[in-house]
């Protein structure tokens, strides 16, 4: 009996921490949650992140605060989340760069996005857009490719920075179409748009939302969007596929991840709230205002999607020898 009693006491002591962790998870969140956005305030990803944070605050009863940690192509913010405690109080709302693709390009990266992040939800997608200055000879995407073939390396293609999705999309276009153009990296979309308007650069490849107002004012020309379907906000702009390049597809995307080891109950709570937000009238309005397409789904859906993105972009990056 004494042995049995001692055994039961030992078992109770062993299980006590486990029960405590479960109880804490059930009560989550008990304090402020930080949602790190690895890019500056005012961007499309920032706008969506702030709307999502507000919805999480309203539904879970504690403040979700957006913390912009821009720099190094999203790596500063990504590293902060990767090294954070896996307790649900630090999350990342980011783009393909820190969540997936940077690991293929950056030497000496201090985190591994596949190992250090657990997927939460794929919130939205957006096409990239290929635009040109108004006096550029090519008026369509097909004409751009023909012009580039006739004038190797003479078309200047601006993108918002080395290693950005605009950069690797430019490389994908060139590899797909068998042409050579000159990549011109910028420090973000704002200076790129300025030079496109001023005629310093011929073509820009970048996230679509930023360029919609310029197109509405007829200050630049849209040649194509990079997704398989036309963008709702620009129904008259054809896709690259429609321009004769079957199978071509590239999209910007916005997702939430947490440090690996974050309790599944926490991940599922966040996933449930964000899915509901994306389907709500308010969520649809925010998406429309920022030229985004809501996605949603399960954490496993995001895991599968990230794996497919890595498989697609790895050979493009290796062929182009993009390394930083």
């Amino acid at each position: 009996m004494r042995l049995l009693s001692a055994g039961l006491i030992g078992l109770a002591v062993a299980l006590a921490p486990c029960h405590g962790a479960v109880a804490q998870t059930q009560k989550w969140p008990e304090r402020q949650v930080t949602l790190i956005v690895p890019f500056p305030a005012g961007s499309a990803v920032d706008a969506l992140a702030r709307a999502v944070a507000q919805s999480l605050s309203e539904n879970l009863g504690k403040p979700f605060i957006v913390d912009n940690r821009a720099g190094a192509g999203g790596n500063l913010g990504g590293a902060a989340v990767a090294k954070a405690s896996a307790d649900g109080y630090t999350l990342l709302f980011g783009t393909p760069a820190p969540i997936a693709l940077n690991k293929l390009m950056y030497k000496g990266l201090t985190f591994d996005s596949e190992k250090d992040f657990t997927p939460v939800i794929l919130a939205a997608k957006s096409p990239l857009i290929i635009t040109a200055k108004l006096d550029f000879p090519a008026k369509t995407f097909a004409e751009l490719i023909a012009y580039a073939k006739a004038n190797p390396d003479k078309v200047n293609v601006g993108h918002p920075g080395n290693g950005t999705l605009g950069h690797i999309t430019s490389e994908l276009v060139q590899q797909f179409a068998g042409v050579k153009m000159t990549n011109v990296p910028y420090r973000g979309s704002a200076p790129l748009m300025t030079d496109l308007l001023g005629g310093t650069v011929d073509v820009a490849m970048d996230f679509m939302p930023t360029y919609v107002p310029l197109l509405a004012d007829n200050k630049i020309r849209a040649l194509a969007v990079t997704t398989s379907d036309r963008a709702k906000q620009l129904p008259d702009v054809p896709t690259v596929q429609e321009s004769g390049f079957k199978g071509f597809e590239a999209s910007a995307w916005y997702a939430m991840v947490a440090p690996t080891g974050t309790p599944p109950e926490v991940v599922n709570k966040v996933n449930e709230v964000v899915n509901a937000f994306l389907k709500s009238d308010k969520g649809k309005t925010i998406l429309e205002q920022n030229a985004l397409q809501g996605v949603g789904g399960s954490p496993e859906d995001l895991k599968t999607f990230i794996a497919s993105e890595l498989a697609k972009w790895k050979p493009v990056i290796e062929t182009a020898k993009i390394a930083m």
Side-chain angles (χ1 to χ4, degrees):
M1 287 296 292
R2 288 179 180 176
L3 288 174
L4 179 60
S5 297
L8 290 173
I9 291 171
L11 179 62
V13 170
L15 290 177
C18 179
H19 286 303
V22 171
Q24 287 181 340
T25 298
Q26 290 174 342
K27 293 179 181 178
W28 181 93
E30 295 182 285
R31 55 184 170 86
Q32 175 180 301
V33 179
T34 299
L35 187 59
I36 291 181
V37 175
F39 297 100
S43 60
V45 62
D46 178 68
L48 181 58
R50 290 180 184 279
V52 167
Q54 182 180 351
S55 179
L56 287 164
S57 299
E58 293 170 351
N59 284 276
L60 297 179
K62 295 294 178 182
F64 282 68
I65 304 299
V66 171
D67 180 359
N68 296 96
R69 299 216 195 160
N75 289 335
L76 293 183
V81 176
K83 296 174 182 178
S85 297
D87 54 10
Y89 290 97
T90 306
L91 307 172
L92 179 69
F93 195 106
T95 62
I99 294 178
L101 303 183
N102 280 358
K103 70 169 291 180
L104 303 176
M105 298 178 283
Y106 282 82
K107 297 177 181 178
L109 199 61
T110 60
F111 66 96
D112 185 328
S113 53
E114 284 187 280
K115 296 178 180 178
D116 296 334
F117 294 146
T118 188
V120 178
I121 188 168
L122 178 59
K125 288 184 179 182
S126 172
L128 280 83
I129 191 164
I130 302 170
T131 59
K133 60 184 182 181
L134 288 178
D135 62 353
F136 188 64
K139 309 303 180 187
T140 66
F141 181 78
E143 289 180 7
L144 167 64
I145 298 305
Y147 185 87
K149 284 183 177 179
N151 301 275
D153 291 314
K154 292 186 178 180
V155 177
N156 293 322
V157 181
H159 56 73
N162 286 327
T164 61
L165 198 57
H167 180 194
I168 59 177
T169 296
S170 172
E171 294 291 352
L172 179 61
V173 166
Q174 294 177 64
Q175 293 175 27
F176 207 93
V179 298
K180 288 294 293 180
M181 296 184 276
T182 299
N183 284 306
V184 182
Y186 283 81
R187 295 176 66 86
S189 297
L192 170 55
M193 288 191 297
T194 297
D195 276 5
L196 183 64
L197 288 167
T200 304
V201 67
D202 300 318
V203 173
M205 298 191 191
D206 200 355
F207 286 14
M208 187 187 83
T210 312
Y211 294 79
V212 173
L214 295 179
L215 292 167
D217 292 338
N218 294 312
K219 292 183 177 180
I220 57 174
R221 177 177 290 107
L223 302 182
V225 293
T226 61
T227 39
S228 55
D229 297 317
R230 292 192 180 197
K232 181 180 178 181
Q233 294 80 5
L234 298 171
D236 296 330
V237 178
T239 67
V240 171
Q241 289 195 33
E242 288 178 290
S243 302
F245 298 87
K246 301 297 182 184
F248 185 96
E249 199 276 334
S251 62
W253 47 270
Y254 309 86
M256 289 182 70
V257 296
T260 293
T262 300
E265 296 84 359
V266 171
V267 170
N268 291 333
K269 273 187 182 181
V270 175
N271 178 275
E272 182 180 349
V273 172
V274 178
N275 265 310
F277 169 76
L278 295 172
K279 295 174 183 176
S280 69
D281 290 341
K282 184 176 181 180
K284 291 176 182 177
T285 298
I286 294 293
L287 292 166
E288 179 76 20
Q289 289 173 345
N290 289 279
L292 302 173
Q293 303 156 0
V295 181
S298 69
E300 190 63 32
D301 291 335
L302 175 55
K303 181 179 180 180
T304 301
F305 177 76
I306 290 173
S308 70
E309 287 286 281
L310 287 168
K312 178 172 74 176
W313 289 113
K314 184 177 181 179
V316 176
I317 291 167
E318 290 178 344
T319 300
K321 296 182 172 61
I322 301 173
M324 283 157 284

